[in-house]
Amino acid sequence: MGPTSQPRIDESAVPGTVFLVDLDGSHNLPKSETQKDIVLVPAPTDDPEDPLNWAPARKWRTMALVHFYTFIVGWASAGVYSILIDISEKTGLTVADLNSGTGTMLLFFGWGCLIWQPIGLTFGRRGSYVLSLAFTAAISVWTAYSTSYATWVVQRVLLGFVGAPIECLCEVSVTDMYFNHQRGHQIGLYLLMLTAGAYLAPLANGFINQSQGWQWVMYWCAILSAIACVLCFFFMEETMYYRETTFEAATIGGNIESGRKDSLNDKNEQISSSAVDIETTHTRPYSKSSYFRSLAMWRIIPDKPNEFFKIMYRPFVVSAKLPIVLWAGLFHGVAACAFSSMNATASVILSAPPYNFKSSIVGLFYIAPTIGSAIGSYWAGDVSDRICIYLARRNNGYREAEYRLWSATALCIIPPAGMILWGVGASHQVHWVGLMFGMGMLGFTLSTAGSIMIGYTIDSYKEISGETLMSLNIVRCTVAFGYGYAVTPWLERAGYQNGFIEMAVICLVLFGTFLIFIKYGKSLRRNSAGTYWTLVESGIRSLQEGKSKGVE
């Protein structure tokens, strides 16, 4: 083995600012095959087994299974929303008890990341998905035998814990296989699958409950989870790959600012798509794994440092020192509360006079938020990517992370309007079509806010995205947990009209804070650069120490 690599970090680089568009084609950087002026960020290696270099069909096969995993775990977690009244009648648990158990589940979807994310980042994504599905199937069967509030809460806690990879690891799989300019589309699809599973499960389960009983709702969740587990085991490839390449932050001769193309042309300085340059004097041997070797549940990469325990505590450092991540978690948490508001009240409102719908019809209403979620995913995914590229072209080829936030404008309009149409409409017993439109608007909320905030967080701090996503989801799920306990008493006290008007105002105010971050986000990223690059450097130092031991 040759000499170890020597990393050089330019700590003046602002994380989240990248050179994305080579306007005049004068720079020798890897480019997109379909969009010739788009720079590939991060730069791929020359290894054909690097997931960034996989053929489109190979990427789509693996990503489709990640999306399927997301859909199924979302389905299992939301299977009871349209049948709360029926479960309450059969088990003796109150609707408030059932909703508080669901809130606890949401809490552990976030905090479970403290275990699953280190596993996924250290030993591989594939094994985490397979085990998560296997445990979800087992717990779904157990849920069919709930007999008390304590049992219900324990089952919800465990379901949230084993399903936690759905909240943080799927986004990492996106960054494994896709370049900066492609991520919005895939993250949008991920949020669509997450919300579609949560919305279509109540639709189907209303009919299953009516024909087979509520316990079969749980059995079908287990069956679907088991099918997904088998498919992922035999057909999902591992995407974990350790690259000794440059990282994401544009540098120009050690300085970084948008709009400095004049300096570049005058001095003929070289652009790098990264703040880190790692020189290597040896070539890694590349080999293709056989199909049977690819079935291994875990992957150990010799050059990759084992930072399992470090990854467990770093989200707390991230939350304390990177305010963008904390804000993104709160923003996403508000969207999750809007989602919970609808789920907590749908069965109660639509089963009561003057509607008196059966659980199967209540389930059909979830077609509306599914459509809303699909529109939101497209808006916050494909449209957001196009906005970023358009603004980068206007900014001399540089893309700022905040460009993605402009698509949050829709969140200041659609969710508050949906809250009022749903809650005030129910209070005044409007026609059910009005309620369906309200549900569609609320369905738009979670997928849009989630895609934007996850994309913004990854764009801002790509090199530690595993930790930042953990932090974001812990904050989001903690907010949703607290809200799960509060929503039913709040609405019982305030009534649907006043309660949902209050929620609409809160959504408008908190979603409107995106304007603050458009103005000051880059300043926050610049001020946090020292902390950020220190975290990145600690990982590189671990790599060097591991290699030194290998040489010895």
Side-chain angles (χ1 to χ4, degrees), residues 224-272:
L224 292 174
S225 299
I227 292 172
C229 181
V230 172
L231 289 175
C232 287
F233 179 81
F234 285 105
F235 300 108
M236 176 184 281
E237 291 193 69
E238 179 59 66
T239 62
M240 184 172 72
Y241 185 90
Y242 196 71
R243 299 180 185 89
E244 293 182 359
T245 67
T246 56
F247 292 161
E248 293 184 20
T251 59
I252 306 178
N255 196 354
I256 175 166
E257 284 295 337
S258 299
R260 289 293 303 277
K261 190 177 180 182
D262 55 338
S263 171
L264 174 66
N265 289 336
D266 293 342
K267 299 181 181 179
N268 196 28
E269 294 169 330
Q270 182 180 5
I271 285 186
S272 167

Side-chain angles (χ1 to χ4, degrees), residues 133-466:
L133 287 166
F135 288 137
T136 297
I139 294 169
S140 295
V141 172
W142 183 27
T143 303
Y145 298 94
S146 294
T147 57
S148 65
Y149 175 69
T151 304
W152 174 261
V153 170
V154 169
Q155 290 161 348
R156 295 295 96 183
V157 166
L158 292 177
L159 189 63
F161 176 79
V162 302
I166 197 179
E167 296 289 353
C168 54
L169 196 57
C170 300
E171 302 97 311
V172 174
S173 294
V174 171
T175 65
D176 287 341
M177 291 183 283
Y178 292 94
F179 297 101
N180 186 290
H181 69 285
Q182 300 171 325
R183 292 177 194 146
H185 173 73
Q186 290 298 334
I187 290 174
L189 286 178
Y190 153 68
L191 264 297
L192 174 60
M193 292 299 103
L194 179 65
T195 52
Y199 293 145
L200 292 179
L203 188 158
N205 291 339
F207 288 95
I208 294 172
N209 173 69
Q210 191 170 316
S211 61
Q212 295 180 296
W214 79 271
Q215 289 180 315
W216 266 98
V217 169
M218 302 298 109
Y219 295 149
W220 277 109
C221 288
I223 291 169
L224 292 174
S225 299
I227 292 172
C229 181
V230 172
L231 289 175
C232 287
F233 179 81
F234 285 105
F235 300 108
M236 176 184 281
E237 291 193 69
E238 179 59 66
T239 62
M240 184 172 72
Y241 185 90
Y242 196 71
R243 299 180 185 89
E244 293 182 359
T245 67
T246 56
F247 292 161
E248 293 184 20
T251 59
I252 306 178
N255 196 354
I256 175 166
E257 284 295 337
S258 299
R260 289 293 303 277
K261 190 177 180 182
D262 55 338
S263 171
L264 174 66
N265 289 336
D266 293 342
K267 299 181 181 179
N268 196 28
E269 294 169 330
Q270 182 180 5
I271 285 186
S272 167
S273 61
S274 157
V276 179
D277 183 17
I278 301 180
E279 295 179 347
T280 57
T281 57
H282 66 278
T283 302
R284 177 188 298 178
Y286 301 131
S287 62
K288 182 175 178 60
S289 298
S290 68
Y291 171 73
F292 290 102
R293 286 185 62 188
S294 71
L295 294 180
M297 288 281 283
W298 311 107
R299 174 179 293 178
I300 304 298
I301 299 177
D303 288 347
K304 187 177 187 300
N306 187 331
E307 296 186 295
F308 184 92
F309 294 105
K310 185 182 292 186
I311 295 172
M312 289 182 69
Y313 73 77
R314 276 173 61 161
F316 301 103
V317 177
V318 165
S319 295
K321 296 188 176 182
L322 302 179
I324 283 176
V325 179
L326 182 60
W327 171 74
L330 292 171
F331 193 103
H332 197 184
V334 174
C337 292
F339 167 79
S340 297
S341 298
M342 181 186 67
N343 285 330
T345 56
S347 182
V348 177
I349 290 173
L350 297 173
S351 299
Y355 308 108
N356 297 315
F357 291 127
K358 296 179 180 179
S359 62
S360 57
I361 305 302
V362 173
L364 287 174
F365 271 77
Y366 277 84
I367 293 175
T370 304
I371 295 173
S373 178
I375 296 171
S377 296
Y378 177 75
W379 173 261
D382 293 66
V383 174
S384 180
D385 277 345
R386 293 172 191 171
I387 291 172
C388 290
I389 293 174
Y390 170 75
L391 293 175
R393 294 185 194 280
R394 294 186 60 185
N395 194 36
N396 294 327
Y398 289 90
R399 189 229 62 194
E400 303 290 353
E402 286 70 36
Y403 290 166
R404 195 171 297 280
L405 295 180
W406 282 111
S407 52
T409 304
L411 291 170
C412 294
I413 303 170
I414 295 176
M419 286 280 192
I420 291 174
L421 188 54
W422 172 253
V424 178
S427 178
H428 289 272
Q429 300 181 347
V430 300
H431 193 275
W432 59 265
V433 173
L435 298 184
M436 184 168 280
F437 271 97
M439 292 180 75
M441 292 179 181
L442 294 177
F444 176 90
T445 307
L446 185 59
S447 61
T448 303
S451 295
I452 294 170
M453 289 301 108
I454 290 170
Y456 180 47
T457 301
I458 292 174
D459 288 346
S460 297
Y461 302 115
K462 164 62 176 62
E463 283 70 48
I464 56 169
S465 59

Side-chain angles (χ1 to χ4, degrees), residues 61-77:
R61 182 177 67 250
T62 298
M63 202 66 229
L65 286 169
V66 174
H67 291 324
F68 187 51
Y69 162 81
T70 304
F71 179 85
I72 293 300
V73 174
W75 180 292
S77 66

